Each structure stands twice: as structure tokens, then as C-alpha cells.
Amino acid sequence: MKFSGIAAAAILGVAATNAVETISAVGNKFFLESGKQFFVKGVAYQLVEEDPLVDGEQCSRDAALMKTLGTNTIRVYHVDATKDHTKCMNAFADAGIYTLIDLDTFDTYILPNAPSWNQTQVDAYAAVMDAFIKYDNVLGFFVGNEIIAIANQSLAAPYIKASVRDVKKHRESKGYRKVPIGYSAADIAELRPMLQDYLTCGGDDSQNVDFFALNSYEWCDVTTYDVSGYANLQKQAVNFPVPIFFSETGCNVPGPRLFDDQQAIFGKEMSSDWSGAIIYEWIEEANHYGLISYGPPVAPTATGSNIRGGFSRAGTPTPVSPDFNNLKSQWAKITPSGVAQSDYSPSLVSTRACPASTQDGWLVNGNVALPSIGQVFTGALSTVPIAIPTTTTTAALGSAATTSTTKNPAPANKEIAGMSAGLAGVMLFFTFWL
């Protein structure tokens, strides 16, 4: 959090912290205030389901170790807007770490098979924004996580876009800085290419995402750029109109994780179009995706103030070997050159055409009217004209490219530490919504 001076900090009743530059989205890049391009080197951080950003001492311990890892961003899936987050946000800012915050709560996220967007949801999302907008190390907000995961859920896409519209409207009405607003998508072959285009099409920036992020586990060591499927992801990201990055990655099959994909993401193959990656996840749990642990596992039925799901949720973070050091080594070798904002022209990006419906399950046909607040979904969507003519480029045709599907080890929409039970649990979650 950056203040204008010591006096301002005293008035607010908080201690001054090391200043960090704010970040903005320009074209398909993130830029610091200084004009330097920003690449995300992040980890998913959700120690407890309700809010991991309220224990300042724990955040300080974790931020210190994250700094040695090379982390510059964390993603937090759920927070409590009524709590004070100053100590944690300051701890991460002091370590040079930015935050990506999900706006939805456990009872306000958009349901995939019965989508709605009502005033209760608007108010809840706005409350989270109000609670965090004052911190300069907020990189962006997510309006949703993997809302769409199977074919018949694509009709929820207009509701995702409606949430972007109204969150942006709240941002503008309050005179807030233009913190980027985006979405975190599941890597579903038949849906993701259309979804990423749909959320950026139509020509109305007030309704389109400011960034698009992907939860992808396609790269499972040992593999290569071409074999993994990353080459196809790259084809569909060339000159994408907004920043695109991995909001979850780090396949652990067969293990240990080598994180060789980081060289591709931040290297010559992808860095001109991708803005980095977030590794899933910080804390060791039953799915064995953790980079650190707070102690050995205990019985799943064990209880205690910091024990849930058989794992300790607080304490001194201890690196999980060899994954922690493998990632640290990869990030230490990464020095993407990027581009200076003064030398960058946003006009180089492509405008995406609104995708037509497909036989594979994308059910939104073209640029449809977005639901108003409180509007009930009737099963039909009406097409509206685009705001400006679109220019279909080679990049815009990427949706037709061959793609692959990956399975997320974390429950979609309900990211809960201690409840990520692996791929089988994910499939049970999806079945629940069918």
C-alpha cells in the first residue's frame, strides 16, 4: 500500500509501508507506473477457506520465503470484505509482491447451470473491491473462477460479462484507479478458445475483461513445448487484445515437478504474448501440489486452531523438496526482456470476433445482449450489434486450432484449502452440478 506521506499514514491509523508501483493493463501487456513491462511469477495462496489475508504475522513469514523463491504475485480465491487486511497487504507489498483477488464469495459466485446476476451479487463483489482498492499492490480482480467447465454451461458466459460490466461501473462511479478486471477459465478444449474471444469481443470495453487467465495443467514433466499442448495455447494467444496468463499451472504427474514449462512461458516461445504464470499452490495438502508445509500431516479427523483437513494452516513455512527449489531454480533463470510502454503500441493487438455457436457445445451465438441486474435467465439469448466493426486477424481465427483439455486439481468456484482432493474430487464436483 502506497501513501502520499507519513502524515497521511498517521491520519489513517496505519504504519507507512514501502511504496510499490501500481500496475495497469495496456493492450496485451501489464505495465508498472515506470513503464516497465510486468510479468506474473505467482503462487496460489489460500491457507484457510474464509480469508488468508487477516493474520499479519503469518503473512509476514510467508512473504519472506516467497521473496526468496522469486514470487512477485499471489492469487487469493476468497476474502472477507469486513476484515482488516492492512498488515497482510503491507507485508506482501514490503516483499514486492502483488495480489490478484477473486471478488466472489461462497454464496455469490455465478452458478454454471442456473446463472444469475442480481443486486446481492453486485453488492458483494463491490464490497470486496472497496476493501482492497486502497492497496497499491492489488494487481487485479477476478469476477469468477472456472464457472464454465462443460458444454451446457457456456450459456453462463453473458452473466460473466454482465458481472464485468457492473464491477467496472462501480469502479468508475467511485473514481477508483483502473485496477484490471478479469476472469480465470478452465482449460476445456471445446469451450476455452471461444470463451476467451467472447469475453473480449463486441467492441465495448466497459463490458469486456481487462485480462484473461487460464487454469491449465497441460504440461506434465517430462514433456516439451510442442508435445504438451502449449504450442496450441500460444497460437490462440497471438496478439490477444488483453493480457493473458496462467492463473493456475504446475502439473504434479508423475512428479516431482520440474517446472520446465516456465522456460517456455517466459521465453521466446510465449513471452511476447503471455504475461506469466501462477503456480498452484503455496500450501501442501492432500493433493500434493504444495510448495511449502507448516508441519507433517496429521489425522484427517484431527482438530486444532490451525488444523484443517489433516494439515496445519499456520506456522513456519518449510519448503517441500524438491518442488520448491526446482521452481526457485527455474525462476532464477528467467529474465524476460519485455517491452517499454513508451515503445509499445496497443494497436498491434487483434480485435476478436464474437464466436458463433458450435456443435461441440459453445452455445452463445455471436454478440448477445447481456442480462440486466436481476434478469432471470429464460434459456434464450438475443443477438445485439457490435459496438464497433471487428477486424478478424489470423490470431482471431485461433479458436479453430486443435486444443486439449486439462483437469484442475482445485475445486472450481469453491477454492478451499484442505479440500482439493485431486482429480477424482474435481470430477465429483462437476458431476454435482450436472
Side-chain angles (χ1 to χ4, degrees):
M1 181 177 179
K2 184 172 66 179
F3 295 96
S4 58
I6 300 298
I11 292 173
L12 291 173
V14 295
T17 185
N18 293 335
V20 295
E21 299 180 62
T22 57
I23 294 175
S24 59
V26 180
N28 68 346
K29 316 288 185 190
F30 289 124
F31 288 102
L32 296 163
E33 289 178 89
S34 60
K36 182 179 180 181
Q37 186 178 349
F38 182 83
F39 291 89
V40 173
K41 293 181 181 178
V43 293
Y45 187 73
Q46 192 77 34
L47 309 186
V48 292
E49 57 266 34
E50 60 273 10
D51 192 338
L53 297 180
V54 294
D55 185 341
E57 292 184 1
Q58 187 59 54
C59 289
S60 294
R61 288 190 290 266
D62 291 334
L65 187 58
M66 286 182 189
K67 186 174 183 179
T68 70
L69 178 64
T71 307
N72 64 18
T73 307
I74 58 171
R75 180 190 179 175
V76 181
Y77 298 83
H78 290 288
V79 294
D80 183 343
T82 67
K83 302 297 184 180
D84 181 11
H85 303 95
T86 302
K87 290 182 179 179
C88 277
M89 293 300 289
N90 283 351
F92 286 112
D94 289 346
I97 296 173
Y98 291 84
T99 58
L100 284 158
I101 308 291
D102 285 54
L103 293 173
D104 60 346
T105 62
F106 289 109
D107 55 0
T108 61
Y109 62 85
I110 298 170
L111 297 174
N113 287 342
S116 67
W117 181 244
N118 56 46
Q119 193 62 51
T120 298
Q121 292 169 297
V122 173
D123 293 344
Y125 283 44
V128 174
M129 176 177 283
D130 292 343
F132 281 89
I133 197 70
K134 59 180 174 286
Y135 303 112
D136 284 353
N137 60 327
V138 171
L139 167 57
F141 294 110
F142 289 105
V143 295
N145 178 63
E146 296 194 0
I147 295 169
I148 297 172
I150 57 177
N152 66 344
Q153 294 173 347
S154 60
L155 290 174
Y159 288 82
I160 298 172
K161 212 162 182 176
S163 71
V164 173
R165 174 198 64 201
D166 293 321
V167 166
K168 285 190 172 184
K169 186 179 296 184
H170 178 75
R171 184 187 67 185
E172 303 308 315
S173 70
K174 291 288 188 175
Y176 293 151
R177 68 180 174 93
K178 293 187 181 296
V179 177
I181 309 298
Y183 176 75
S184 176
D187 188 8
I188 308 300
E190 297 80 14
L191 303 175
R192 184 256 310 140
M194 281 65 71
L195 178 60
Q196 69 182 50
D197 286 356
Y198 173 74
L199 292 179
T200 58
C201 79
D204 189 344
D205 288 341
S206 70
Q207 299 178 352
N208 289 346
V209 293
D210 297 320
F211 64 84
F212 182 86
L214 182 64
N215 297 342
S216 177
Y217 295 82
E218 291 191 22
W219 189 300
C220 295
D221 298 311
V222 176
T223 189
T224 65
Y225 172 71
D226 292 305
V227 174
S228 67
Y230 272 37
N232 288 326
L233 294 179
Q234 167 60 18
K235 288 177 183 177
Q236 294 152 13
V238 173
N239 292 332
F240 195 64
V242 299
I244 184 170
F245 61 94
F246 292 89
S247 44
E248 285 181 16
T249 191
C251 175
N252 67 354
V253 178
R257 295 192 285 179
L258 305 177
F259 300 107
D260 285 342
D261 66 327
Q262 300 301 289
Q263 296 301 314
I265 294 170
F266 293 94
K268 59 182 177 60
E269 293 92 346
M270 305 176 74
S271 64
S272 61
D273 295 294
W274 291 77
S275 292
I278 294 174
I279 304 300
Y280 187 83
E281 62 177 318
W282 181 244
I283 185 173
E284 176 72 347
E285 302 185 83
N287 58 21
H288 300 300
Y289 273 83
L291 294 171
I292 65 93
S293 69
Y294 299 111
V298 298
T301 56
T303 59
S305 60
N306 293 317
I307 297 176
R308 301 187 192 183
F311 290 85
S312 297
R313 304 288 163 181
T316 301
T318 301
V320 170
S321 181
D323 290 22
F324 184 96
N325 284 331
N326 285 348
L327 178 59
K328 181 178 180 180
S329 175
Q330 292 286 3
W331 278 352
K333 295 184 290 186
I334 290 169
T335 55
S337 57
V339 61
Q341 187 173 352
S342 59
D343 297 328
Y344 174 69
S345 174
S347 64
L348 297 175
V349 302
S350 62
T351 300
R352 299 298 169 112
C354 293
S357 57
T358 69
Q359 292 182 341
D360 290 333
W362 178 256
L363 304 178
V364 182
N365 192 30
N367 192 42
V368 301
L370 302 185
S372 58
I373 297 175
Q375 181 178 332
V376 177
F377 179 60
T378 62
L381 301 169
S382 59
T383 302
V384 297
I386 59 174
I388 58 174
T390 59
T391 302
T392 303
T393 67
T394 301
L397 299 176
S399 297
T402 302
T403 58
S404 60
T405 300
T406 62
K407 298 176 182 178
N408 185 344
N413 303 319
K414 291 189 176 181
E415 178 63 36
I416 304 175
M419 295 184 65
S420 303
L423 301 181
V426 173
M427 297 312 297
L428 287 174
F429 178 85
F430 289 157
T431 301
F432 173 80
W433 288 112
L434 294 178

